[in-house]
Amino acid sequence: MKSALLCLAFTIFGQVAVNAQTETYAEKLGFPKGKKVVIFHVDDAGMSYESNVGTINAMDKGIASSTSVMMPCGWVPNFFEYVKKHPTADVGVHLTLTSEWNGYRWSPLVGREKAPGLYDEQGAFWHSVEQVVQHASADEVEAEIRAQLARYRAFGVQPTHMDSHMGTLFDPKFIMRYAKVAIEEKIPVLFPAGHATLIFKANNVPAPMQQLAQQVGKQLWDAGLPVMDDLDGTSYGWTLPAGTPVTDATIQKYKTQKFIELLKSTKPGLTYIIMHCTAPSPTFDQISGSGQSRNGDMLAMMDPALKSFVEKEGIIITTWRELMERRKKVN
């Protein structure tokens, strides 16, 4: 379900490449012309203990360079113990407006009186992006964004960026509030508005949505925030071929090869590669059937073969911290 919804959310950007600028946002930020610049980003920190362990492994023992935290979830305080011990880590707010699993739910932070449209019949967020779009107003969504940002700051640290769980905030109904908070708070947000080649390859979007993406990207850039050229979130759907033995070794080899193929297919510019890294456990299997995929992402990030490929190809791995510092230096 999540994979399908993520793909749906990304469709807003599908044909941005049609009107893309000739100069990449990476070049605007001072990276060498023709270089592939990548953020390996881990979603869903704070969702579970296993997700915290997987995220930390991918960043400390692997080449993942960024993560973001689901502030309504129960394992957030545990992850902030890591954040406080690693003050230079790239850690943002994974703005969460859905609660997609059936047996493990989380609820809005803003309160039912302020935002009744965010709550389903169980008192949690709605399961799907479509339900949020149907029931919640833009005002309610903005209030929840601000509540999640406030909880993050309550731990005594500042986020490096914000992004959107399941892409809910990429919907036209909410996207301007997403940009508004980013601009007012001067916090970078995930938004691909450059050549968008990977998304173009996978999706087909009408012209008004292309124009909206370009418009929002320009507004963010003009407000002094960095903007992505491209975005990929396909690793969630990479599954072992039928009949392949399921072991850590086979999963790691398969996912590493898929990431290498993905990197080969990227064009020069600034590309945001989303993954979900979770250490496997019987408990996590009660939450979601995605444990194998998430374990594979974690193992791939830790694979020396992937690091070797990145170094051999001269691919630059960056962080939101570096992007914001570079953006401050651009006139």
Side-chain angles (χ1 to χ4, degrees), residues 120-143:
D120 74 358
E121 64 280 355
Q122 295 180 350
F125 284 109
W126 297 99
H127 278 83
S128 71
V129 174
E130 293 89 347
Q131 288 172 312
V132 181
V133 173
Q134 178 184 353
H135 294 281
S137 69
D139 286 344
E140 290 173 319
V141 164
E142 181 180 339

Side-chain angles (χ1 to χ4, degrees), residues 35-54:
K35 277 288 187 181
K36 296 180 180 182
V37 186
V38 170
I39 289 181
F40 286 113
H41 178 84
V42 184
D43 272 0
D44 294 1
M47 187 182 83
S48 67
Y49 173 73
E50 297 85 352
S51 294
N52 289 353
V53 173

Side-chain angles (χ1 to χ4, degrees), residues 1 28 34 91 109 126 133 135-136 145 154 173 175 178 185 205 207 209 214 218 225 263 271 281 307 310 328:
M1 178 185 74
K28 286 174 177 272
V91 184
L109 300 183
W126 297 99
V133 173
H135 294 281
I145 291 173
K173 185 176 181 179
I175 198 165
Y178 179 54
E185 298 290 339
V205 175
M209 294 300 98
Q214 290 289 308
K218 184 177 186 303
L225 300 176
L263 290 169
T271 303
S281 80
K307 182 178 181 181
V310 168
K328 290 175 183 177

